[in-house]
Amino acid sequence: MIGNFPPAMGGQAAVNESLRRMVSEAGATVISIDLSAGRGSLMWRKVSRIPKVVVGVFNLLVLLARRRADAVYIGVAGGYGQLYDTVFASLTRLFRVRMFLHHGSYAYLAKRRRLTATLVRTAGPAATHIVLCADMGERLIALYSPTLNVTVISNSTNIEPPNHQPKVRSSLRTIGFISHITRSKGVFEFLDVAERVCGTCQDVRALLAGPIEDSSIRPVLMQRLRGASWLTYIGPVGGETKSRFYAEIDAFVFPTRHADEADPRVINEALAHGVAVIARGRGCISSAVNGGGGTVVREDADFVEEAERQLIEWHQNPVLFSSVSSAALANAARLRAEHLPRLDALISALVSLPSPAPPPSQRNDDGSRGNESSR
């Protein structure tokens, strides 16, 4: 299998890497074509990709011409990187090799984009489009083609599981935020929520985790951190330290407005740890949280006000909050049970193994309007 992994920070890059690892462990030889951008200014990141794209196109052409690839996986970019995706898709289709396009962004699903339409048309009707929730598939079909071959696989299948047995919370004592820290991910709205709640509920504290990706916000963020005795910033976390972060918080607050936001791994990780979730309803977030374990705030609502009200209610009613935490664990288990068979079928297809048919109860039960197939 050949994998074209787009430049992405955070969740979707981790999903791509997770899928590459699983395909490799299933017995396939995986050749990765790295198109990641270098660090620096926006212009430099764009320019730094050009040599990688040229080399990547040449390498793909050689591999296809020598019949050394039986499947090509493309992690679809959210913006102009789709130009490169289209080149890879055209070569793959020219040589009649099976193609899998993994969509991890809502940036081109609010309205039809000419570049995305070109990519979909170039990939052709035989390509498999992997989406993260039923709504994502419905939008893709409605905007770009009614005949797309779509399979829905939630990011609940691509998370780091808890390192210790998760527990149901008995009360709300700690609220948290974890992400690549940028304005668009909502870090300042989180701080506003935390300041209000911790000021009202004196026994509540807040934890902030993740790398500061947007250097322009560092001075303002550091200033706010210095004046907040109720807040602890613990920096980037991963592995054991990430699992410990989730174990230490009771509610995860995620006010994201990120244009690419689809099915954040951090929400799925929080649910799997029994952490209650309050998140803005972008992308697939509603489909994940509405199954139990939290509250979704409408995009046109005042997030800070809504989150403050909900957190204070949970703090004042431990029985209610405990039921929400329990529902988070149940929802996480349900999502994995529903989507893991589809992931297994996808892995089988990528390594050219016979694909097990999904149970009858899982066929066309997710509301998608396309011809869902796990190939």
Side-chain angles (χ1 to χ4, degrees), residues 61-120:
L61 184 58
V62 170
L63 290 166
L64 292 172
R66 293 179 177 177
R67 304 295 178 184
R68 292 188 56 196
D70 58 8
V72 172
Y73 165 92
I74 298 175
V76 178
Y80 287 108
Q82 289 181 4
L83 283 169
Y84 309 133
D85 295 339
T86 301
V87 175
F88 282 92
S90 63
L91 290 175
T92 303
R93 188 178 181 188
L94 177 65
F95 283 87
R96 298 184 178 182
V97 172
R98 294 175 307 126
M99 191 185 331
F100 299 81
L101 286 79
H102 201 162
H103 299 270
S105 171
Y106 260 70
Y108 48 89
L109 295 177
K111 64 179 180 179
R112 182 180 172 87
R113 288 190 178 180
R114 189 173 303 172
L115 181 54
T116 306
T118 300
L119 171 60
V120 170

Side-chain angles (χ1 to χ4, degrees), residues 33-238:
I33 297 176
D34 179 18
L35 301 184
S36 59
R39 291 189 173 275
S41 66
L42 178 61
M43 180 58 68
W44 170 248
R45 291 200 299 271
K46 290 181 178 180
V47 171
S48 68
R49 295 187 63 198
I50 296 175
K52 288 187 174 184
V53 172
V54 172
V55 172
V57 169
F58 175 78
N59 289 340
L60 177 63
L61 184 58
V62 170
L63 290 166
L64 292 172
R66 293 179 177 177
R67 304 295 178 184
R68 292 188 56 196
D70 58 8
V72 172
Y73 165 92
I74 298 175
V76 178
Y80 287 108
Q82 289 181 4
L83 283 169
Y84 309 133
D85 295 339
T86 301
V87 175
F88 282 92
S90 63
L91 290 175
T92 303
R93 188 178 181 188
L94 177 65
F95 283 87
R96 298 184 178 182
V97 172
R98 294 175 307 126
M99 191 185 331
F100 299 81
L101 286 79
H102 201 162
H103 299 270
S105 171
Y106 260 70
Y108 48 89
L109 295 177
K111 64 179 180 179
R112 182 180 172 87
R113 288 190 178 180
R114 189 173 303 172
L115 181 54
T116 306
T118 300
L119 171 60
V120 170
R121 186 168 56 252
T122 300
T128 297
H129 293 263
I130 308 160
V131 297
L132 306 176
C133 63
D135 177 74
M136 195 175 194
E138 291 171 358
R139 287 170 180 258
L140 192 68
I141 289 167
L143 289 172
Y144 298 106
S145 173
T147 60
L148 291 183
N149 180 23
V150 172
T151 185
V152 181
I153 303 177
S154 163
N155 275 343
S156 62
T157 62
N158 281 298
I159 62 172
E160 298 178 32
N163 287 352
H164 307 286
Q165 181 66 32
K167 64 178 181 179
V168 174
R169 273 58 171 180
S170 59
S171 61
L172 174 63
R173 290 291 179 267
T174 305
I175 61 177
F177 175 97
I178 179 172
S179 179
H180 287 253
I181 297 175
T182 63
R183 290 183 186 276
S184 66
K185 289 289 186 176
V187 64
F188 290 117
E189 286 173 285
F190 165 74
L191 293 177
D192 290 341
V193 171
E195 184 173 15
R196 290 189 185 188
V197 173
C198 294
T200 302
C201 308
Q202 298 296 317
D203 58 342
V204 174
R205 65 184 183 122
L207 291 181
L208 174 64
I212 302 174
E213 290 288 336
D214 184 353
S215 59
S216 69
I217 70 172
R218 182 180 291 274
V220 180
L221 185 59
M222 291 300 103
Q223 178 64 34
R224 293 198 64 170
L225 290 174
R226 282 192 291 271
S229 58
W230 39 266
L231 174 67
T232 301
Y233 173 52
I234 59 179
V237 296

Side-chain angles (χ1 to χ4, degrees), residues 331-342:
N331 186 20
R334 178 191 61 79
L335 285 168
R336 285 183 62 81
E338 178 181 350
H339 291 276
L340 273 176
R342 300 175 188 174

Side-chain angles (χ1 to χ4, degrees), residues 251-310:
F252 172 48
V253 180
F254 197 52
T256 180
R257 291 186 182 275
H258 193 53
D260 287 324
E261 204 71 78
D263 185 23
R265 294 173 84 239
V266 287
I267 285 182
N268 288 288
E269 288 169 347
L271 294 172
H273 283 79
V275 176
V277 173
I278 300 178
R280 181 173 274 118
R282 293 191 66 85
C284 296
I285 290 175
S286 293
S287 70
V289 179
N290 284 345
T295 297
V296 175
V297 178
R298 298 189 323 272
E299 290 203 64
D300 61 350
D302 184 326
F303 184 92
V304 174
E305 182 177 303
E306 292 289 323
E308 177 193 11
R309 180 194 58 77
Q310 182 65 83

